[in-house]
């Protein structure tokens, strides 16, 4: 299959590279010439484990190319995927679809008859129909097909998620056997591995994506509230999560308490599905509660840190370890650190920060941090340390060395990475999440 991928960001670049690994002929297009220039030089503009070698291998094999011009790239494509951003619209939380619609018009102008335009961006119900309308209006003489194929990959494990997904969801219009055939051919390497490939109508596919993200967000807010309850009643949230997670109806994934969900998707997608529901007159009270719990969570984390520092952080130095919204990505979009660190600074704290990959994106968003080259440099002279994001290299700190570098041994672990007894043995006043018995004053 000849595939064009419009948008070469976290999803477009991974999806394009993986499709080329399947053996398809792929061209990845981005409107940002700087992104394409870097890719053409063999540089990967984002941090995603395994992506560099995947891209390099497929470029070398002649199956993967990059371009800035949509018209040329889509001219002989069997399928064109739209993988542009759908951020929250300022003010109302709706998904901002302007990039999707602009891409649709550009594709329709240049695509050939029979081309299948596939929406991979996360978009509200009705978007495929609107893309179809744009195609008809832009190129009334062409027979273009519009399908929906939401993406479920996670940053940090994007390649594995794409290559071995739990399922693939494809939405096609009633009777559109051509679009179905093209999507089946594209995903054939996965069907050989017996990955379920689910065909639905387009509205259902569009809603599956939001419902999946919203459900996972609900799970996280749920366990965060249970963690709070554990602290009040003297239970251990790790045990509770394990005890409920072993029930196959519940499942053990996405039950890790922490500073609240962040990232480019859960925050914006929960808001977008709430707006869809509001407009449809069918409120989603559970998702609404999960969003409110998550907002409050970040403020609660600030209070927790201040309390652990004796009730006042004025004039104190805090080492912030891990700033990205999760490990193994450089993505800072809606990272909890963006809410937590400025609040500590506003109360008079100085922040010494370390993140393995997030600095370039974080620097413009978080002014006045003292950036450090490694975790120990961040801990030097600190009155307290806060572990915000559980990067592997932050999971095995040399506690004796850390303690010697710090002015006071106060450690606030927002991801429950460390065994409390180990922290106590190393002389730390330790505060984690939902493990009251492990916390030491
Ligand atoms: P991103 O911001 O990383 O990348 C989008 C890219 O599209 C940018 O590089 C931008 O320059 C480019 N672009 C915008 N308009 C264009 C146009 N007309 N022509 C060519 N390029 C254009 O976004 P992302 O994180 O990859 O997300 C893309 C979509 O996928 C969103 O809808 C998101 O919700 C969804 N999604 C993201 C993830 C994730 O982990 N990031 C996972 C699943 C789904
Ligand atoms: C999420 C979904 O997991 C993907 O399936 C989806 O494709 C993607 O959004 C999307 O639509 O973009 P991602 O945002 O990359 O993927 O990362 P997750 O691993 O889901 O983590 C999201 C946030 O939840 C992070 O801030 C993470 O720290 C937090 N989280 C996750 C928890 O606090 N606890 C958990 O148990 C799991």
């Amino acid at each position: 299959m000849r595939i064009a991928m419009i948008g070469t960001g976290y999803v477009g670049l991974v999806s394009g590279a993986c499709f080329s690994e399947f053996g398809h002929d792929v061209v990845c297009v981005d409107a940002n010439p700087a992104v394409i220039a870097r890719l053409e030089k063999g540089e990967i503009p984002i941090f995603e484990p395994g992506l560099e070698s995947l891209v390099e291998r497929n470029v070398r094999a002649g199956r993967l190319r990059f371009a800035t011009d949509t018209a040329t790239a889509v001219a002989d494509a069997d399928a064109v995927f739209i993988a542009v951003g759908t951020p929250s619209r300022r003010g109302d939380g709706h998904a901002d679809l302007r990039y999707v619609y602009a891409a649709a018009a550009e594709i329709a102008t240049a695509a050939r008859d029979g081309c299948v335009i596939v929406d991979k961006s996360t978009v509200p119900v009705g978007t495929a129909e609107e893309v179809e309308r744009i195609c008809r209006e832009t190129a009334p003489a062409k027979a273009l097909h519009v399908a929906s194929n939401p993406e479920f990959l996670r940053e940090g494990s994007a390649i594995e998620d794409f290559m071995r997904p739990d399922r693939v969801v494809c939405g096609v219009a009633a009777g559109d056997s051509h679009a179905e055939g093209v999507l089946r051919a594209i995903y054939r390497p996965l069907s050989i591995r017996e990955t379920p490939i689910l065909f639905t109508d387009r509205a259902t596919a569009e809603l599956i994506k939001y419902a999946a993200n919203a459900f996972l967000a609900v799970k996280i807010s749920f366990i965060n509230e249970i963690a709070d309850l554990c602290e009040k009643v003297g239970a251990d949230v790790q045990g509770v999560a394990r005890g409920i997670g072993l029930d196959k109806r519940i499942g053990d994934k996405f039950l890790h308490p922490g500073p609240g969900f962040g990232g480019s998707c859960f925050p914006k997608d929960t808001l977008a599905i709430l707006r869809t529901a509001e407009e449809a007159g069918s409120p989603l009270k559970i998702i609404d509660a999960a969003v409110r719990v998550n907002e409050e969570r970040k403020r609660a984390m600030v209070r927790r840190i201040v309390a652990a520092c004796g009730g006042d952080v004025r004039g104190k130095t805090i080492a912030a370890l891990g700033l990205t919204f999760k490990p193994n990505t450089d993505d800072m979009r809606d990272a909890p650190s963006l809410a937590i660190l400025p609040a500590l600074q506003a109360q008079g704290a100085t922040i010494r920060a370390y993140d393995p990959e997030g600095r370039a994106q974080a620097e413009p968003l978080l002014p006045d941090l003292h950036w450090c080259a490694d975790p120990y440099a961040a801990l030097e002279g600190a009155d307290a340390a806060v572990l915000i994001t559980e990067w592997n290299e932050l999971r095995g700190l040399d506690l004796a060395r850390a303690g010697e570098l710090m002015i006071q041994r106060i450690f606030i672990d927002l991801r429950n990475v460390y065994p409390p007894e180990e922290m106590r043995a190393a002389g730390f006043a330790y505060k984690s999440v939902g493990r009251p018995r492990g916390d030491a004053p």
Side-chain angles (χ1 to χ4, degrees):
M1 286 277 146
R2 283 162 303 188
I3 295 174
M5 185 67 63
I6 310 302
T8 309
Y10 287 88
V11 164
L13 182 55
V14 171
S15 306
C18 289
F19 280 147
S20 66
E21 181 79 0
F22 288 173
H24 301 306
D25 177 44
V26 179
V27 51
C28 284
V29 181
D30 205 283
N32 182 346
V35 166
I36 297 302
R38 289 189 65 184
L39 285 161
E40 281 177 335
K41 277 194 277 176
E43 291 171 22
I44 304 296
I46 57 170
F47 177 78
E48 180 62 48
L51 190 54
E52 190 168 351
S53 57
L54 182 74
V55 166
E56 197 215 309
R57 180 163 69 245
N58 284 286
V59 167
R60 219 175 332 104
R63 291 189 296 260
L64 180 61
R65 306 173 279 126
F66 303 101
T68 47
D69 179 37
T70 299
T72 326
V74 306
D76 65 351
D78 300 303
V80 181
F81 285 77
I82 300 177
V84 301
T86 49
S88 268
R89 201 163 66 189
R90 232 173 253 279
D92 65 6
H94 265 292
D96 184 346
L97 295 173
R98 78 179 94 160
Y99 307 106
V100 172
Y101 294 153
E106 290 165 30
I107 297 162
T109 309
R112 63 176 179 76
D113 249 357
C115 179
V116 183
I117 300 170
V118 190
D119 184 30
K120 202 167 236 331
S121 297
T122 301
V123 291
V125 171
T127 305
E129 271 190 25
E130 180 58 15
V131 166
E132 193 166 81
R133 195 196 61 72
I134 291 169
C135 290
R136 263 200 313 272
E137 192 180 277
T138 314
K142 284 183 197 168
L144 298 172
H145 302 250
V146 176
S148 164
N149 171 221
E151 181 49 57
F152 300 96
L153 65 77
R154 287 163 300 172
E155 290 177 24
S157 53
I159 295 169
E160 176 70 10
D161 286 352
F162 196 95
M163 292 301 212
R164 298 181 187 278
D166 290 340
R167 80 310 203 181
V168 171
V169 172
C170 300
V172 295
D176 191 346
S177 54
H178 174 71
E180 179 170 340
V182 167
L183 284 162
R184 282 200 193 279
I186 289 172
Y187 282 108
R188 185 162 301 133
L190 292 185
S191 58
I192 291 164
R193 286 186 195 156
E194 299 192 349
T195 302
I197 306 209
L198 190 66
F199 275 85
T200 67
D201 60 76
R202 297 180 300 193
T204 303
E206 288 167 338
L207 194 53
I208 285 171
K209 174 63 196 174
Y210 281 104
N213 272 3
F215 191 87
L216 293 168
V218 166
K219 248 185 138 176
I220 297 167
S221 279
F222 175 85
I223 201 66
N224 282 337
E225 282 199 309
I226 294 289
D228 286 347
L229 179 60
C230 284
E231 290 179 14
K232 294 275 193 254
V233 300
D236 182 334
V237 71
Q238 301 296 128
V240 174
R242 182 160 162 72
I244 63 173
L246 285 168
D247 184 329
K248 291 194 180 64
R249 294 169 300 174
I250 296 173
D252 61 355
K253 305 282 191 300
F254 278 68
L255 287 178
H256 301 290
F261 58 77
S264 67
C265 293
F266 287 171
K268 81 171 170 61
D269 293 346
T270 44
L271 288 186
I273 193 174
L274 286 174
R275 293 296 85 82
T276 300
E278 197 178 289
E279 280 176 9
S282 182
L284 293 168
K285 295 184 197 137
I286 295 171
I287 299 172
D288 187 48
V291 169
R292 280 185 286 112
V293 166
N294 199 57
E295 278 311 304
E296 171 51 28
R297 186 91 191 144
K298 296 171 210 161
R299 289 189 286 274
M301 292 303 108
V302 175
R303 289 196 296 273
R304 174 178 301 252
I305 295 161
V306 173
C309 292
D312 190 4
V313 292
R314 190 161 308 278
K316 294 199 170 140
T317 298
I318 297 178
L321 305 177
L323 273 68
T324 49
F325 81 97
K326 63 181 289 190
N328 293 325
T329 181
D330 56 349
D331 200 340
M332 282 295 299
R333 289 178 283 185
D334 261 310
S337 63
L338 295 176
I340 293 170
L341 298 181
L344 293 173
Q345 287 173 307
Q347 293 186 44
T350 296
I351 309 290
R352 294 176 69 78
Y354 172 68
D355 189 278
E357 295 290 339
R359 180 170 176 175
Q361 283 195 29
E363 249 180 330
L365 304 172
L366 287 167
D368 302 326
L369 301 189
H370 297 271
W371 283 95
C372 301
D374 66 65
Y376 298 101
L379 290 163
E380 205 171 335
D383 295 287
V386 186
L387 196 157
I388 307 175
T389 306
E390 70 280 29
W391 285 87
N392 270 344
E393 68 168 284
L394 302 175
R395 287 173 174 272
L397 291 174
D398 176 341
L399 296 177
R401 183 176 168 200
E404 275 163 25
L405 290 166
M406 295 173 71
I407 293 176
Q408 292 190 77
R409 297 187 181 201
I410 299 174
F411 200 105
I412 304 108
D413 178 357
L414 302 184
R415 301 283 184 171
N416 289 358
V417 162
Y418 285 94
E421 53 285 5
E422 231 174 77
M423 296 304 286
R424 270 201 307 270
F428 279 91
Y430 179 65
K431 180 84 190 150
S432 58
V433 177
R435 299 192 293 181
R437 288 188 198 135
D439 290 347

